[in-house]
Amino acid sequence: MSTAREMTTTATWAPRSAAFDVERIRKDFPILQQRVHGKPLVYLDNAATSQKPRVVIDTVERYYAAQNANIHRGVHFLSERATAAYEDARRTVARFLHAADPREIIFVRGATEGINLVAQSYGRAFLAAGDEIVISAMEHHSNIVPWQILREQIGAKLRVVPINDAGELLVDEYAALLNERTKLVSVAQVSNALGTVNPVKRLIEMAHARGIPVLVDGAQAVPHLPVDVQDLGCEFYVFSGHKLFAPTGVGILYGKTGLLERMPPYQGGGDMISMVTFEKTHYNTLPYKFEAGTPHIAGGLGLAAAIEYLTEIGLDAIAAYEHELLRYATEALATVAGLEMIGTAKEKASVLSFVLDGVHPHDIGTILDRDGIAIRAGHHCAMPVMQRFGVPATVRASLALYNTRAEVDVLVGALRKVREVFA
Amino acid sequence: MSDLGDLYQQLILDHNRHPRNFQQPAAANRHAEGYNPLCGDRFSVYLQVEDGVIRDVGFQGMGCAISKASASLMTASVKGKTIAEAGRLFASFHHLVTDGEAPAEPVELGKLSVFAGVREFPVRVKCASLAWHTLQAALDTKDGVVSTE
C-alpha cells in the first residue's frame, strides 16, 4: 500500500506542498514507528543515511516479486519491462537534477563511486603531472582520497581552500588558488560535518572564467535543496541514493555530454560495449559506456520512487520546513550549558554538529541512544574538518523532512541528562 | 537509566575526571600508541619494565570517559605486577567486558570489575579495551602502534 499514492486521490485535490504535514509524512516511513530501548525512535542521523518511505520499499519489493529481469539484454517480456522501468528511472533523475539529457545521468553505486569515476576516467585522461585539483577544507573523505590516489598516479597537486571559524569557505582564498595549472575544482555543495551550504554557483562561475571544470558533491545537498545542474553550470554532479530516502548501493553521476563523450570508460564489462572481438572493443554510447555490468536495478527504481515521493511533497516545501526546523534546533541547542556548535555558517542545511564541554561525543552518543535518539558521534569521515576545529570528534544531529520540533526537544532534554551524568 | 548507571559508574566518572598516572614516567623504557579510528580515541601507554616487572606505568592522550577511565584504572592495576600477571589481568578483564572466551587462569579484578556494565554496550567494548591492547603492544614490542580496527 502506498500512502503517497493514496493521497494523490483524496477528494480535496490539495497538493501536499500547500500544507507541509510532517505527521502525515512520518506515517510514510515504517521504521519511524518503532521504539528503541523502550523510547520512540528519534532518528537524527540523516546525514549518514536516510530512512525509506513505504513507496520506495514497495517499489523494490515489487521489482523482485513481479518484474525482476536483466536489462538491455533479453527480448522477453520481463526484460523489456525492466529495461523500460530502469530507463524511466533515469529520466526521473534527469528531471530531478534538471539535466539537459537523460544520457548525462550515469547510474553508479553512490557519490563515492561517482567521484572515483571522474578521478580515474577524466583525471587520468586529461590531467598531467603538476596539474592542480582544488578541493575545500570541509570535504568528506570521499572527495579527498580519490584525488590523492590520482595524485599518486599522475603527479598532480591537491590544493585546499581554507574555511573560517564559522565553517564557511573563504571565497577570496579560493579565487587566489585558481591559476593556469588548475585543471579541476571538486567541492561539496553542503558539508556533511558542518552543514555549510557553499556558494557553488559562484564558485563554478569563478572556475569557468578560467576554463576550469567543476565537480559538485551533492550527497548532502539533494535531500535538502532543489538542484538545477544547468543553472549551476557544473560539469559533474554526484549524489547517493541512500541519503535521498532511496536504497543503498545506487547513486548518480551527472556529467555534461561533451565531457562524458571524451572520457574513457571507467570499468570494462557487459553493457558498456557495442562490439567485442579479441582484437578490439567498441564502447557503447552514453550513458552505457560508464555502466559496466548488471546495475542495481531495484535500487535505480527505488531512487526514482524516492524522487517522485519528494517531488510530490514539493522540494521547496521540504527546504522551507527544514530551514525552519534547523533554526528552531539551533536556538534550542544554544540553551544547553557548555554546548558549542561546530559549524555556524550563515547558510546551513540539516546538520547540527557540536561538542559538549567535558564530555566526549562517544559518551553522549551512548547516553542519547538509551533515550532512543540516533545521532552520529565521531569524525564524520571528515578528519581534516575535526583538525581544523581542534576537536577529536563531534556529535552530529542531522535533520530530514520527517523530523519534528518535538524530537528536537527530546534531544535537548537528553543532552541536559548527559550534563547531569557528567556533572 | 539504570542500565546507563551500570556503564557510567561513579568510579568510572571519577577516573575520567581525574585520571591516575596521567603522565609519561621519567624512566619509561617501553611505549606504544593505541588508536580507535572509529571515534578518534588515541592513547599512549608508557612502561618502565625491569626484570619482567612493571615498575612504573603512565598514559597520555584523549578519549571518551570509558576509554580514559579504563586506561587510568589499568595503570593503577598493573603497577608492580609482572608481565605475566598483567597478561592474566588483561585476559580476565577482556572476559569481563566481552563475555568472550573464559581465561585459562582467571584472576581477581578488584576495581576493574566496575567495567562489567560495558558488556551490555557492545559498541563500547573497544573503548574499554583500547588501553589494554596498547599495554599489550608496549609489552610485546619495544615501540609500536596498535589500532582497534
Side-chain angles (χ1 to χ4, degrees):
Chain A
M1 289 297 287
S2 159
T3 336
R5 269 159 214 280
E6 282 166 24
M7 275 182 242
T8 60
T9 57
T10 50
T12 61
W13 292 98
R16 292 180 73 178
S17 52
F20 189 92
D21 185 347
V22 70
E23 290 307 325
R24 277 172 84 173
I25 287 168
R26 291 182 67 80
K27 290 197 179 78
D28 295 338
F29 290 80
I31 206 168
L32 298 180
Q33 317 309 322
Q34 71 185 288
R35 297 174 84 81
V36 170
H37 303 305
K39 308 278 177 60
L41 169 66
V42 174
Y43 188 78
L44 297 173
D45 197 15
N46 295 288
T49 196
S50 60
Q51 300 303 348
K52 320 306 173 197
R54 170 55 69 192
V55 64
V56 169
I57 299 166
D58 285 350
T59 298
V60 171
E61 197 206 323
R62 193 164 54 242
Y63 170 72
Y64 285 122
Q67 304 167 326
N68 179 57
N70 212 329
I71 55 170
H72 307 136
R73 285 163 176 81
V75 294
H76 57 80
F77 175 77
L78 284 182
S79 177
E80 282 182 11
R81 214 165 57 167
T83 302
Y86 197 64
E87 293 307 319
D88 274 347
R90 192 189 309 276
R91 281 188 283 276
T92 301
V93 175
R95 279 194 300 276
F96 176 67
L97 289 181
H98 298 92
D101 187 333
R103 295 185 309 141
E104 298 178 317
I105 301 299
I106 316 287
F107 280 110
V108 290
R109 282 190 297 140
T112 296
E113 189 176 51
I115 297 173
N116 277 278
L117 189 160
V118 174
Q120 288 302 305
S121 170
Y122 182 83
R124 294 191 82 165
F126 297 107
L127 270 66
D131 285 348
E132 297 181 0
I133 301 152
V134 170
I135 61 172
S136 87
M138 69 178 90
E139 298 308 320
H140 187 281
H141 295 163
S142 61
N143 198 22
I144 302 173
V145 184
W147 308 115
Q148 291 174 325
I149 292 172
L150 179 65
R151 178 173 67 184
E152 293 298 313
Q153 290 166 335
I154 66 168
K157 288 189 175 136
L158 202 52
R159 308 293 298 271
V160 183
V161 188
I163 55 178
N164 64 18
D165 290 343
E168 294 165 324
L169 187 143
L170 295 171
V171 177
D172 290 346
E173 303 269 356
Y174 168 74
L177 277 179
L178 300 178
N179 64 57
E180 67 280 0
R181 308 236 59 167
T182 313
K183 291 294 157 60
L184 190 70
V185 170
S186 190
V187 65
Q189 187 169 9
V190 174
S191 155
N192 77 306
L194 301 168
T196 309
V197 180
N198 281 319
V200 285
K201 189 173 180 183
R202 191 169 158 212
L203 302 181
I204 293 163
E205 282 167 4
M206 292 163 72
H208 283 182
R210 288 177 163 275
I212 303 162
V214 179
L215 184 157
V216 176
D217 173 4
Q220 296 294 341
V222 287
H224 310 294
L225 317 167
V227 171
D228 184 332
V229 289
Q230 290 190 80
D231 179 55
L232 291 176
C234 54
E235 275 65 29
F236 302 106
Y237 193 97
V238 299
F239 73 86
S240 296
H242 75 96
K243 294 192 201 290
L244 193 70
F245 317 101
T248 56
V250 67
I252 296 297
L253 163 67
Y254 157 85
K256 283 185 178 169
T257 309
L259 273 181
L260 291 175
E261 279 177 342
R262 286 163 56 215
M263 285 160 56
Y266 172 54
Q267 293 180 330
D271 228 19
M272 56 75 72
I273 50 84
S274 60
M275 195 182 75
V276 175
T277 66
F278 285 114
E279 287 70 39
K280 182 158 176 63
T281 289
H282 296 272
Y283 301 131
N284 207 337
T285 53
L286 291 178
Y288 313 111
K289 183 172 81 173
F290 293 106
E291 294 182 351
T294 298
H296 185 3
I297 303 167
L301 304 189
L303 175 57
I307 288 172
E308 282 164 7
Y309 174 79
L310 295 172
T311 308
E312 194 184 314
I313 295 169
L315 298 175
D316 290 315
I318 293 168
Y321 174 78
E322 288 188 12
H323 187 75
E324 175 56 24
L325 187 61
L326 181 65
R327 187 198 59 74
Y328 177 80
T330 305
E331 286 175 12
L333 286 174
T335 67
V336 178
L339 185 144
E340 185 195 349
M341 196 68 72
I342 304 290
T344 51
K346 274 198 203 73
E347 297 294 328
K348 273 185 72 172
S350 170
V351 171
L352 299 138
S353 205
F354 56 89
V355 290
L356 207 50
D357 187 30
V359 192
H360 192 281
H362 213 165
D363 295 313
I364 298 172
T366 292
I367 295 172
L368 296 190
D369 175 61
R370 293 286 142 160
D371 272 350
I373 305 169
I375 50 88
R376 174 122 179 230
H379 53 62
H380 319 301
C381 298
M383 285 182 178
V385 174
M386 301 297 112
Q387 287 151 20
R388 168 64 179 76
F389 288 92
V391 293
T394 71
V395 177
R396 182 185 68 186
S398 48
L399 309 169
L401 75 165
Y402 42 63
N403 290 125
T404 65
R405 286 186 171 207
E407 289 180 310
V408 171
D409 295 341
V410 171
L411 171 68
V412 169
L415 288 170
R416 295 225 162 86
K417 189 149 55 182
V418 171
R419 299 282 304 171
E420 284 167 26
V421 171
F422 282 86
Chain B
M1 272 302 268
S2 64
D3 46 359
L4 267 182
D6 291 344
L7 182 65
Y8 292 107
Q9 305 233 12
Q10 280 309 319
L11 187 64
I12 290 178
L13 294 171
D14 174 53
H15 276 257
N16 173 51
R17 259 193 302 269
H18 309 290
R20 320 298 199 266
N21 305 304
F22 195 58
Q23 75 265 323
Q24 181 174 351
N29 54 11
R30 296 198 194 188
H31 156 252
E33 281 180 28
Y35 178 50
N36 182 348
L38 185 72
C39 54
D41 290 359
R42 189 183 285 274
F43 289 104
S44 294
V45 172
Y46 303 93
L47 300 169
Q48 181 194 344
V49 180
E50 281 163 14
D51 306 325
V53 175
I54 301 169
R55 297 284 177 206
D56 202 359
V57 54
F59 79 104
Q60 290 183 316
M62 59 205 298
C64 62
I66 303 302
S67 63
K68 199 170 187 183
S70 178
S72 173
L73 278 154
M74 177 193 77
T75 58
S77 303
V78 301
K79 201 182 278 193
K81 296 268 197 311
T82 66
I83 291 174
E85 285 168 341
R88 284 197 289 275
L89 210 48
F90 182 20
S92 287
F93 179 81
H94 200 259
H95 177 59
L96 175 80
V97 297
T98 62
D99 201 16
E101 198 182 331
E105 303 172 73
V107 292
E108 277 297 314
L109 285 168
K111 282 183 176 177
L112 293 174
S113 46
V114 73
F115 289 99
V118 171
R119 187 185 286 186
E120 304 304 319
F121 295 80
V123 298
R124 306 307 299 274
V125 169
K126 284 177 178 176
C127 309
S129 54
L130 177 60
W132 286 93
H133 284 291
T134 314
L135 172 78
Q136 193 73 59
L139 289 171
D140 289 349
T141 62
K142 209 149 180 71
D143 275 298
V145 177
V146 61
S147 166
T148 58
E149 294 299 306

